[in-house]
Amino acid sequence: MRHIILSALLSCVPLALSADPLPSWNAADSKDRIIEFVTAVTDPQRPEYVTPAERIAVFDNDGTLWAEQPVYFQLIFAIDRLAQMAEDDPSILTTPVLQAAAKGDLKAIAEGGHDALIEVLNASHSGVSVDEFQSAVADWLEIARHPETDLPYDQMTYQPMAELLRYLRDEGFKTYIVSGGGVHFMRVFAEEAYGIPPEQVLGTYMETAYDSAESEPVIVKADGIAFVDDKEGKPINIERTIGRRPILAGGNSDGDFAMLEWTTAGDGPRLGVLVHHTDAEREWAYDRESPIGKLVDGLDRGPDMGWVIVDMAQDWSRIYTGAN
């Protein structure tokens, strides 16, 4: 009898008194819509119910799960690594671009465009095994600090998004990263930072080669980009690798537009979530004119497609996992 009474009492507890799955999200439309969507697709009694196998959620990384200003953090790693390599062997700085990069001259790299970026990535990322490269990334994350916040880069992950990832997994979703960042770079920290294991991290990848000449066979990173996981490449990589169309996608820039568009165009309940960087005080405010994380199509077309446009300044009570 005691158990029956207790169960009856618990059933009367209002939803508002239950644990908040998104405590760093302010009470606003964005939070309400996300929770309503998750509730609908996980309740077997509702017509929107989606089986656990189909509960796939995909997220961009740069600007969506962690910060991306003043430049992508992987580029900062590449510049730091190149400078360190040049200390041991200055002869590797064979071009003006590499010489500028080793000095931390971001302007010179930007002026060189795509070709300059590839040159820096080839010089700093290739010629080593995947294991050696990832060890270098882990060492860098231990000591590197952001030039403006002085935070470790892996503490500049967004607390509200970490909560969203955890909430989705608690409700039977499988969460993936689908980012333009390098797959071998992100796999170093994704599990600890986001709870997403390496096999659920999709990204851009360089050419690789199998080398069994040494005592132990290794996968070696080679020159050249094999696949760019950005824009239309994102849904292509999702279909190729995951094999299911997600029911939820999150991004922050027009590089994510195709992923959100493809996700929300499917049958049944779907949700697109777009993080809009509006907080110049706690982070950075940027969108249409920004060379990093440019956001035009998502703002103009996303609302008509039913996407949740997250206003960072208004919707988040806290920004980083490591501060504020």
Side-chain angles (χ1 to χ4, degrees), residues 34 56-65 161 164-165 168 176-179 234 238 246-253 255-257 259-261 263-264 271-275 307-308 310:
I34 290 170
I56 303 296
V58 294
F59 293 87
D60 170 57
N61 184 50
D62 295 308
T64 302
L65 299 182
M161 297 304 287
L164 177 55
L165 290 170
L168 291 171
Y176 290 80
I177 291 174
V178 182
S179 174
K234 291 194 174 192
I238 292 169
I247 65 168
L248 187 153
N252 78 292
S253 75
D256 307 313
F257 184 87
M259 179 172 73
L260 271 71
E261 180 183 47
T263 295
T264 56
L271 187 66
V273 177
L274 200 61
V275 176
W307 299 355
V308 173
V310 177

Coordinates of all heavy atoms in Angstrom, one line a residue, residues 34 56-65 161 164-165 168 176-179 234 238 246-253 255-257 259-261 263-264 271-275 307-308 310:
I34 N 13.0 22.8 -28.0 CA 13.9 21.7 -27.9 C 13.3 20.6 -27.0 O 13.2 19.4 -27.4 CB 15.3 22.1 -27.5 CG1 15.9 22.9 -28.5 CG2 16.1 20.8 -27.1 CD1 17.2 23.6 -28.1
I56 N 18.8 9.9 -34.3 CA 20.2 10.3 -34.6 C 20.2 11.8 -34.6 O 19.4 12.5 -35.2 CB 20.6 9.8 -36.0 CG1 20.5 8.3 -36.1 CG2 22.0 10.3 -36.4 CD1 21.4 7.5 -35.2
A57 N 21.2 12.4 -33.9 CA 21.4 13.8 -33.8 C 22.9 14.1 -34.2 O 23.8 13.5 -33.7 CB 21.2 14.3 -32.4
V58 N 23.0 15.1 -35.0 CA 24.4 15.5 -35.5 C 24.6 17.0 -35.2 O 23.7 17.8 -35.3 CB 24.5 15.2 -37.1 CG1 24.4 13.7 -37.3 CG2 23.4 16.0 -37.8
F59 N 25.9 17.2 -34.9 CA 26.2 18.6 -34.6 C 27.6 19.0 -35.2 O 28.5 18.2 -35.2 CB 26.4 18.7 -33.0 CG 25.1 18.6 -32.3 CD1 24.6 17.3 -31.9 CD2 24.3 19.7 -32.0 CE1 23.5 17.2 -31.2 CE2 23.1 19.6 -31.3 CZ 22.7 18.3 -30.9
D60 N 27.6 20.2 -35.7 CA 28.9 20.8 -36.1 C 29.7 21.0 -34.8 O 29.1 21.0 -33.7 CB 28.6 22.2 -36.8 CG 29.8 23.0 -37.0 OD1 30.8 22.5 -37.6 OD2 29.8 24.2 -36.4
N61 N 31.0 21.3 -34.9 CA 31.8 21.5 -33.8 C 32.2 23.0 -33.6 O 31.8 23.7 -32.7 CB 33.1 20.7 -33.8 CG 33.9 20.8 -32.6 OD1 33.4 20.7 -31.4 ND2 35.2 21.1 -32.7
D62 N 33.0 23.5 -34.6 CA 33.5 24.9 -34.5 C 32.3 25.9 -34.5 O 31.6 26.0 -35.5 CB 34.4 25.2 -35.6 CG 35.7 24.4 -35.5 OD1 36.3 24.3 -34.5 OD2 36.0 23.8 -36.6
G63 N 32.2 26.7 -33.4 CA 31.1 27.6 -33.3 C 29.8 27.1 -32.9 O 28.8 27.8 -32.6
T64 N 29.7 25.8 -32.8 CA 28.5 25.1 -32.3 C 28.6 24.4 -31.0 O 27.8 24.6 -30.1 CB 28.0 24.1 -33.3 OG1 27.8 24.7 -34.6 CG2 26.7 23.4 -32.9
L65 N 29.7 23.7 -30.8 CA 30.0 23.0 -29.6 C 31.1 23.7 -28.8 O 31.2 23.5 -27.6 CB 30.3 21.5 -29.8 CG 29.2 20.7 -30.5 CD1 29.7 19.2 -30.6 CD2 27.9 20.7 -29.7
M161 N 25.4 23.5 -24.8 CA 25.4 22.5 -25.8 C 25.8 21.1 -25.2 O 25.3 20.1 -25.6 CB 26.3 22.9 -26.9 CG 25.8 24.1 -27.7 SD 24.1 24.0 -28.3 CE 24.4 22.8 -29.7
L164 N 22.8 19.8 -23.8 CA 21.9 19.3 -24.8 C 22.3 17.9 -25.3 O 21.5 17.0 -25.4 CB 21.8 20.3 -26.0 CG 21.0 19.9 -27.2 CD1 19.6 19.5 -26.8 CD2 21.0 20.9 -28.2
L165 N 23.6 17.8 -25.5 CA 24.1 16.4 -25.9 C 23.8 15.4 -24.8 O 23.3 14.3 -25.2 CB 25.6 16.5 -26.1 CG 26.1 17.3 -27.3 CD1 27.6 17.5 -27.2 CD2 25.8 16.6 -28.6
L168 N 20.0 14.6 -24.8 CA 19.6 13.7 -25.9 C 20.0 12.3 -25.7 O 19.2 11.3 -25.9 CB 20.3 14.2 -27.2 CG 19.7 15.6 -27.7 CD1 20.6 16.1 -28.9 CD2 18.3 15.5 -28.1
Y176 N 26.3 12.6 -32.8 CA 27.5 12.6 -33.6 C 28.0 14.0 -33.8 O 27.2 15.0 -33.8 CB 27.2 12.1 -35.0 CG 26.9 10.6 -35.1 CD1 25.6 10.1 -34.8 CD2 27.8 9.7 -35.6 CE1 25.3 8.7 -34.9 CE2 27.6 8.3 -35.7 CZ 26.3 7.9 -35.4 OH 26.0 6.5 -35.5
I177 N 29.3 14.1 -34.0 CA 29.9 15.4 -34.5 C 30.1 15.2 -36.0 O 30.6 14.2 -36.5 CB 31.3 15.7 -33.9 CG1 31.1 16.0 -32.4 CG2 32.0 16.8 -34.6 CD1 32.4 16.2 -31.6
V178 N 29.7 16.3 -36.8 CA 29.9 16.3 -38.2 C 30.4 17.7 -38.5 O 29.7 18.7 -38.6 CB 28.6 16.0 -39.0 CG1 28.9 16.0 -40.5 CG2 28.0 14.7 -38.6
S179 N 31.7 17.8 -38.7 CA 32.4 19.1 -38.7 C 33.4 19.3 -39.8 O 33.9 18.3 -40.3 CB 33.1 19.3 -37.3 OG 33.8 20.5 -37.3
K234 N 28.7 17.6 -45.8 CA 28.2 17.1 -44.6 C 27.1 16.1 -44.7 O 27.2 15.0 -44.2 CB 27.8 18.2 -43.6 CG 29.0 19.1 -43.2 CD 28.6 20.0 -42.0 CE 29.9 20.7 -41.5 NZ 29.7 21.4 -40.2
I238 N 27.4 12.1 -43.9 CA 26.4 11.4 -43.0 C 25.8 10.2 -43.6 O 25.8 9.1 -43.0 CB 25.3 12.4 -42.5 CG1 25.9 13.5 -41.6 CG2 24.2 11.7 -41.8 CD1 25.0 14.7 -41.4
P246 N 19.5 12.0 -40.0 CA 19.3 12.4 -38.6 C 17.9 13.0 -38.5 O 17.3 13.4 -39.5 CB 20.3 13.4 -38.3 CG 21.4 13.2 -39.4 CD 20.6 12.7 -40.6
I247 N 17.4 13.0 -37.2 CA 16.1 13.7 -37.0 C 16.4 15.1 -36.3 O 15.5 15.9 -36.1 CB 15.1 12.9 -36.2 CG1 15.6 12.6 -34.8 CG2 14.8 11.6 -36.9 CD1 14.6 12.0 -33.8
L248 N 17.6 15.3 -35.9 CA 18.0 16.6 -35.3 C 19.4 16.9 -35.7 O 20.3 16.1 -35.7 CB 17.9 16.5 -33.7 CG 18.1 17.8 -33.0 CD1 17.4 17.7 -31.6 CD2 19.6 18.2 -32.7
A249 N 19.6 18.2 -36.1 CA 20.9 18.7 -36.5 C 21.1 20.1 -35.9 O 20.2 20.9 -35.9 CB 21.0 18.7 -38.0
G250 N 22.4 20.3 -35.5 CA 22.7 21.6 -34.9 C 24.0 22.2 -35.6 O 24.9 21.4 -35.9
G251 N 23.9 23.5 -35.8 CA 25.1 24.1 -36.5 C 25.1 25.6 -36.1 O 24.3 26.0 -35.2
N252 N 25.9 26.4 -36.8 CA 26.0 27.8 -36.4 C 26.3 28.7 -37.6 O 26.3 29.9 -37.5 CB 27.0 28.1 -35.4 CG 28.5 28.1 -35.9 OD1 29.0 27.0 -36.3 ND2 29.1 29.2 -35.9
S253 N 26.6 28.1 -38.8 CA 27.0 28.9 -39.9 C 26.4 28.3 -41.2 O 25.8 27.3 -41.2 CB 28.6 28.9 -40.0 OG 29.0 27.6 -40.5
G255 N 28.1 27.0 -43.5 CA 28.7 25.7 -43.7 C 27.9 24.6 -43.2 O 28.1 23.4 -43.7
D256 N 26.9 24.8 -42.3 CA 26.1 23.8 -41.8 C 24.7 23.8 -42.4 O 23.9 22.9 -42.1 CB 25.9 24.0 -40.3 CG 27.2 24.1 -39.6 OD1 28.1 23.3 -39.8 OD2 27.4 25.1 -38.7
F257 N 24.4 24.7 -43.3 CA 23.1 24.9 -43.9 C 22.6 23.6 -44.6 O 21.5 23.1 -44.3 CB 23.1 26.0 -44.9 CG 21.7 26.3 -45.4 CD1 20.8 27.2 -44.7 CD2 21.2 25.7 -46.6 CE1 19.6 27.4 -45.2 CE2 19.9 26.0 -47.1 CZ 19.1 26.8 -46.4
M259 N 23.4 20.5 -44.1 CA 23.2 19.5 -43.1 C 21.8 19.6 -42.4 O 21.1 18.7 -42.3 CB 24.3 19.4 -42.1 CG 24.1 18.4 -41.0 SD 25.6 18.2 -40.0 CE 25.5 19.7 -39.0
L260 N 21.5 20.9 -42.0 CA 20.3 21.2 -41.4 C 19.1 21.1 -42.4 O 18.0 20.5 -42.1 CB 20.3 22.5 -40.7 CG 20.7 22.6 -39.3 CD1 22.2 22.3 -39.2 CD2 20.4 23.9 -38.6
E261 N 19.3 21.5 -43.6 CA 18.3 21.5 -44.6 C 17.9 20.0 -44.9 O 16.7 19.7 -45.0 CB 18.8 22.2 -45.9 CG 17.8 22.2 -47.0 CD 18.4 22.8 -48.3 OE1 19.5 22.5 -48.7 OE2 17.7 23.6 -48.9
T263 N 18.5 17.3 -43.1 CA 17.9 16.7 -41.9 C 16.4 17.0 -41.8 O 15.6 16.1 -41.6 CB 18.7 17.1 -40.6 OG1 20.0 16.7 -40.7 CG2 18.0 16.6 -39.4
T264 N 16.1 18.3 -41.9 CA 14.7 18.7 -41.6 C 13.8 18.5 -42.8 O 12.5 18.6 -42.6 CB 14.7 20.2 -41.2 OG1 15.3 21.0 -42.2 CG2 15.4 20.4 -39.9
L271 N 14.1 18.5 -36.4 CA 14.4 19.7 -35.8 C 15.8 20.2 -36.2 O 16.8 19.4 -36.1 CB 14.3 19.6 -34.2 CG 14.5 21.0 -33.5 CD1 13.3 21.9 -33.8 CD2 14.6 20.7 -32.0
G272 N 15.9 21.5 -36.6 CA 17.2 22.1 -36.9 C 17.4 23.1 -35.8 O 16.5 23.9 -35.4
V273 N 18.6 23.2 -35.3 CA 19.0 24.1 -34.2 C 20.2 24.9 -34.7 O 21.3 24.3 -35.0 CB 19.3 23.4 -32.9 CG1 19.8 24.4 -31.8 CG2 18.1 22.6 -32.4
L274 N 20.1 26.2 -34.7 CA 21.1 27.1 -35.2 C 21.6 28.0 -34.1 O 20.8 28.8 -33.6 CB 20.6 27.9 -36.4 CG 21.6 28.5 -37.4 CD1 22.5 27.4 -38.1 CD2 20.9 29.3 -38.5
V275 N 22.8 28.0 -33.8 CA 23.4 28.8 -32.7 C 23.8 30.2 -33.4 O 24.7 30.2 -34.2 CB 24.6 28.2 -32.0 CG1 25.2 29.2 -31.0 CG2 24.2 26.9 -31.3
W307 N 13.3 26.0 -38.1 CA 14.5 25.8 -37.2 C 14.5 26.7 -36.0 O 13.9 27.8 -36.0 CB 15.8 26.2 -38.0 CG 16.0 25.3 -39.2 CD1 15.3 24.3 -39.7 CD2 17.1 25.5 -40.2 NE1 15.8 23.8 -40.8 CE2 16.9 24.5 -41.2 CE3 18.1 26.4 -40.3 CZ2 17.8 24.4 -42.3 CZ3 19.0 26.3 -41.4 CH2 18.8 25.3 -42.4
V308 N 15.1 26.2 -34.9 CA 15.2 26.9 -33.7 C 16.5 27.8 -33.9 O 17.6 27.3 -34.1 CB 15.4 26.0 -32.5 CG1 15.7 26.8 -31.2 CG2 14.1 25.2 -32.2
V310 N 18.9 29.9 -31.9 CA 19.3 30.2 -30.6 C 20.0 31.5 -30.5 O 21.1 31.7 -31.1 CB 20.2 29.0 -30.1 CG1 20.7 29.3 -28.6 CG2 19.5 27.7 -30.1

